[in-house]
Amino acid sequence: MLPGFKLTLGFTLFYLGLIVLIPLAAVFWKSSSLSWAEFWQTVTMPQAMASYRLTFGVSLGAALVNLVFGLIVAWVLVRYEFFGKKLVDALVDLPFALPTAVAGITLASLYSKNGWIGQFFTYTDEHHEVQSIFFSSRLGIFVALTFIGLPFIVRTVQPILEDIDPELEEAASSLGANRWQVFHRVILPMLTPALLTGFALAFARALGEYGSVIFIAGNIPMKTQITPVLIMQELDMYEYGRATAIAVVMLVVSFVLLLSINVLQWWTNRHNTHNLA
Amino acid sequence: MSVEVKNVTKKFGSFTALDNVSLKVESGELVALLGPSGSGKTTLLRTIAGLEFPDPGDAQVLFYGEDVTHIPASERKAGFAFQHYALFRHMTVFENIAFGLRVRPKTTRPPEAEIRARVDKLLHLIQLEPLAKRFPTQLSGGQRQRVALARALAVEPKVLLLDEPFGALDAKVRKELRRWLRQLHDEIHVTTLFVTHDQEEALEVSDRVAILRNGSIEQIGTPEEIYDKPASPFVYDFLGNVNLFSGRVKDGAVVIGDTEFAAPEAAGEVDSAAVAFVRPHDIRVTRQAAGPALAATVIRSNAAGPVANLELKRLDTGELFTVQLSKELFQELQPKAGEQVFVELKNVKVFSDDYSI
């Protein structure tokens, strides 16, 4: 074993404990101010159930869409040379760097019924008013969550794609594989672990997203209210116990989902971690 | 029946990798492409595979008479093995070998049972049956290269192309594997070209050797022809260690310093400046000159290894040269550093002075 194991493991556990586990434990502790019945009533109330479905559903959808388009962006950035490539490469990181409220306001104004994009996608509602299809709708939330999730896929896939030896593709085609077979039988399986990592990161980020969603979502309970907004609403009413109870549900479900993605990722990458028996 | 390239030129920017190269490999032959790095040998191999395409012109690549010049690699049926194996990491040994069969269109793809049978047969051929379920990262370098060969053979290629197949292996495995390759070739007789920069490997394994230099084929012939009758100083030098003695050539002889040595190949030459090439093992060292000989001083001797090496210095010009002699002769002679000896040159090969290596 490498020297320094105990020291670095100790540090890792201490650091994770301080930065991650203690605050999370505080959430659980705070939620315990409710009785079991109150807890159950809070986390299963229709408004909460609707927000879970919305949050997890739209986050999943956004992460899946990013999986496809992030891969395409990474592919273009790695495989082709074109004018302005460096600029495009830098643009990819923008959703990382932008304060989420700025992103939210920008998206809201772009996709509003008078915005550059929103004006082309309008309908007339039951009150005979023109509305953007993005406003106060799942579609708007989906747009915001796709925006903030894109860099995760691109940045995890890009280095792996850069490292793929062109000889592997040459070997595959000399064995008779056409372009599509080379991609889906040789390249894609090698990218799968990175794609899963990027997917997990984008998904996790979307679950917790607040700032970029609230301006476009309309936050209508039972319809377009995401769970983080519901938690904020409870906090605004000084219902700390109820807010943390809902937070605990999100935490547990997110953890289980991320853990299973990690297991899946480990499984797809097993041929790289094998040692000679 | 042959694999043939005609008039192939390939430039990368201003660098000419192949300069109007033509080569014909007979069916079932094992031909080595030998040359220093940058000589174009790998580019030639890749052009045959369809991984590079010749510059426009009258270039042609023919597989048994069929013009494949413009056919992409995936439709050429040329098996290719890379120096670093290029095995698919995420597939087992078995699936790596089966790859070429599985990617065939439905109409020509063999049924699953036949794929299994063919892969098992190849696993037997490369003696790796017990490792079928391993992943490439769990294999040694020599095993990986054998898997790469089996994978290329699985598609029943019209020609097998090996790019420095043993280049990444250590010396011992290299020797084992090249003997194995020769045996394999004697068993299955697939037309094979392999690239190497190791002259020993080329001379030991192949039926014929093509020596490349600066994008052209300098000489092609059997290992004996190439070794015994090199067409140029470059070939002579590339095939092994050599000592150069400048002097003058005349009818049937070469004059070095004040001594005239027989050079039967130079019969009919007119008196002119020339360079005599002599292999270190073609120099006889004695204490008493029994014929034409040069006087020299022993600088250093080294008897480690299967033969002994002497470094000598000519008395007249002070030039250094090396001599190789058997252990027995070395024991008999027991040369000491600083003592004076005589050297007789045998099998002298004379090239006119304007050649350069």
Side-chain angles (χ1 to χ4, degrees):
Chain A
M1 193 176 286
L2 276 175
F5 172 69
K6 280 182 184 167
L7 183 72
T8 48
L9 182 70
F11 176 78
T12 305
L13 292 181
F14 171 75
Y15 193 79
L16 275 178
L18 193 71
I19 303 291
V20 181
L21 287 181
I22 291 176
L24 291 188
V27 173
F28 281 89
W29 177 77
K30 194 83 195 168
S31 71
S32 67
S33 62
L34 299 182
S35 72
W36 180 244
E38 282 173 318
F39 179 87
W40 190 251
Q41 188 271 324
T42 308
V43 300
T44 57
M45 66 179 174
Q47 197 183 344
M49 294 304 276
S51 85
Y52 305 145
R53 275 196 295 274
L54 179 71
T55 308
F56 284 98
V58 179
S59 296
L60 189 73
L64 283 172
V65 164
N66 274 332
L67 198 62
V68 176
F69 288 94
L71 173 60
I72 295 173
V73 172
W75 182 270
V76 168
L77 287 176
V78 171
R79 292 298 171 108
Y80 303 104
E81 289 305 322
F82 54 91
F83 181 75
K85 180 169 158 170
K86 286 262 177 278
L87 190 74
V88 176
D89 202 23
L91 273 177
V92 169
D93 284 331
L94 213 56
F96 270 152
L98 218 55
T100 53
V102 177
I105 292 165
T106 312
L107 290 173
S109 61
L110 268 182
Y111 288 95
S112 75
K113 61 187 174 196
N114 303 317
W116 284 357
I117 299 172
Q119 61 179 313
F120 301 110
F121 300 93
T122 53
Y123 67 101
T124 312
D125 67 6
E126 62 268 33
H127 308 297
H128 306 288
E129 278 186 51
V130 176
Q131 299 286 356
S132 162
I133 60 166
F134 296 100
F135 250 76
S136 301
S137 73
R138 284 165 172 259
L139 193 61
I141 301 171
F142 174 77
V143 167
L145 295 183
T146 309
F147 172 80
I148 53 131
L150 179 73
F152 292 95
I153 312 276
V154 178
R155 291 299 181 231
T156 48
V157 170
Q158 204 175 6
I160 307 297
L161 197 55
E162 272 165 0
D163 279 350
I164 292 183
D165 190 342
E167 282 187 351
L168 289 170
E169 288 165 65
E170 289 178 347
S173 53
S174 80
L175 291 166
N178 59 36
R179 297 277 299 158
W180 167 244
Q181 287 171 322
V182 172
F183 177 75
H184 91 99
R185 281 176 179 262
V186 176
I187 299 173
L188 203 57
M190 294 203 288
L191 295 179
T192 305
L195 281 168
L196 280 172
T197 306
F199 174 80
L201 290 171
F203 181 55
R205 172 71 203 272
L207 287 178
E209 184 55 22
Y210 179 76
S212 60
V213 176
I214 48 168
F215 298 99
I216 204 167
N219 311 322
I220 305 160
M222 302 298 294
K223 257 189 82 190
T224 62
Q225 189 182 50
I226 54 170
T227 312
V229 172
L230 178 63
I231 295 171
M232 275 306 286
Q233 183 190 301
E234 295 290 343
L235 289 176
D236 283 341
M237 295 186 293
Y238 303 104
E239 292 282 3
Y240 296 129
R242 288 166 62 90
T244 47
I246 298 166
V248 161
V249 172
M250 274 211 94
L251 207 63
V252 169
V253 177
S254 304
F255 184 73
V256 168
L257 285 172
L258 291 174
L259 191 68
S260 24
I261 294 173
N262 262 331
V263 169
L264 193 63
Q265 197 232 11
W266 166 81
W267 186 78
T268 56
N269 206 25
R270 68 203 182 285
H271 50 83
N272 280 336
T273 49
H274 263 307
N275 286 316
L276 267 175
Chain B
M1 295 298 272
S2 60
V3 170
E4 202 175 348
V5 293
K6 285 182 184 166
N7 313 318
V8 168
T9 296
K10 177 79 187 174
K11 290 192 170 90
F12 296 106
S14 61
F15 174 73
T16 305
L18 292 175
D19 188 7
N20 202 25
V21 170
S22 298
L23 173 71
K24 193 172 176 180
V25 180
E26 296 300 331
S27 177
E29 232 187 342
L30 176 56
V31 172
L33 301 175
L34 176 66
S37 53
S39 60
K41 53 194 190 310
T42 295
T43 309
L44 180 57
L45 199 74
R46 290 172 59 86
T47 307
I48 298 171
L51 298 171
E52 303 285 353
F53 289 91
D55 290 345
D58 55 355
Q60 268 193 316
V61 181
L62 302 166
F63 283 6
Y64 305 101
E66 184 197 345
D67 188 341
V68 296
T69 318
H70 303 290
I71 292 180
S74 56
E75 289 159 37
R76 258 189 215 195
K77 297 202 80 178
F80 201 99
F82 295 84
Q83 181 177 0
H84 298 288
Y85 330 122
L87 292 177
F88 307 127
R89 274 203 315 246
H90 57 284
M91 295 180 200
T92 59
V93 166
F94 186 97
E95 285 305 318
N96 263 284
I97 298 174
F99 184 87
L101 300 171
R102 295 212 192 280
V103 295
R104 284 200 192 159
K106 273 212 178 73
T107 48
T108 58
R109 190 189 310 152
E112 182 64 26
E114 199 190 318
I115 292 180
R116 300 212 148 259
R118 276 169 73 171
V119 174
D120 285 338
K121 211 171 137 195
L122 283 159
L123 280 166
H124 177 73
L125 192 69
I126 60 168
Q127 299 149 16
L128 290 181
E129 289 141 308
L131 304 186
K133 287 189 176 128
R134 293 260 180 107
F135 285 100
T137 45
Q138 298 170 291
L139 303 181
S140 71
Q143 291 171 334
R144 286 183 206 182
Q145 191 55 280
R146 280 189 275 164
V147 174
L149 275 171
R151 183 178 68 174
L153 288 171
V155 296
E156 291 172 336
K158 291 174 179 161
V159 57
L160 185 61
L161 306 166
L162 315 174
D163 187 8
E164 302 251 4
F166 315 124
L169 303 170
D170 60 54
K172 192 159 176 284
V173 182
R174 237 180 133 104
K175 283 204 169 163
E176 282 169 20
L177 211 54
R178 73 189 189 213
R179 230 158 271 151
W180 175 81
L181 173 68
R182 183 67 236 188
Q183 283 171 9
L184 182 77
H185 186 265
D186 292 343
E187 261 174 65
I188 59 175
H189 288 293
V190 59
T191 310
T192 306
L193 271 109
F194 82 103
V195 157
T196 178
H197 61 260
D198 180 341
Q199 31 89 13
E200 204 187 313
E201 192 170 290
L203 295 177
E204 185 186 310
V205 174
S206 52
D207 296 322
R208 282 196 301 154
V209 181
I211 297 196
L212 279 92
R213 179 198 191 189
N214 297 337
S216 304
I217 294 180
E218 189 98 347
Q219 187 176 7
I220 179 160
T222 64
E224 291 77 25
E225 278 167 10
I226 297 258
Y227 195 80
D228 296 334
K229 298 189 179 65
S232 68
F234 172 80
V235 174
Y236 195 102
D237 181 55
F238 197 74
L239 292 181
N241 294 329
V242 63
N243 294 299
L244 273 60
F245 299 93
S246 28
R248 299 194 71 77
V249 64
K250 50 194 218 178
D251 188 5
V254 59
V255 182
I256 299 159
D258 297 327
T259 317
E260 189 175 308
F261 294 94
E265 280 177 41
E269 293 276 342
V270 278
D271 193 343
S272 61
V275 179
F277 285 62
V278 187
R279 300 256 181 239
H281 57 80
D282 283 334
I283 299 178
R284 207 164 90 88
V285 182
T286 54
R287 289 226 162 75
Q288 244 94 49
L294 292 169
T297 327
V298 178
I299 302 290
R300 201 176 298 123
S301 66
N302 175 14
V307 291
N309 288 293
L310 289 183
E311 197 176 329
L312 303 178
K313 186 173 162 186
R314 274 170 69 178
L315 276 189
D316 49 356
T317 61
E319 284 173 281
L320 296 172
F321 59 99
T322 57
V323 175
Q324 226 170 47
L325 65 174
S326 69
K327 276 281 174 64
E328 287 93 347
L329 276 175
F330 184 82
Q331 293 296 343
E332 226 171 85
L333 198 65
Q334 304 231 346
K336 304 271 178 301
E339 85 173 297
Q340 196 202 309
V341 291
F342 292 96
V343 295
E344 292 164 28
L345 310 182
K346 298 177 290 180
N347 297 327
V348 180
K349 179 86 189 168
V350 186
F351 294 102
S352 75
D353 206 9
D354 53 3
Y355 265 123
S356 63
I357 288 175

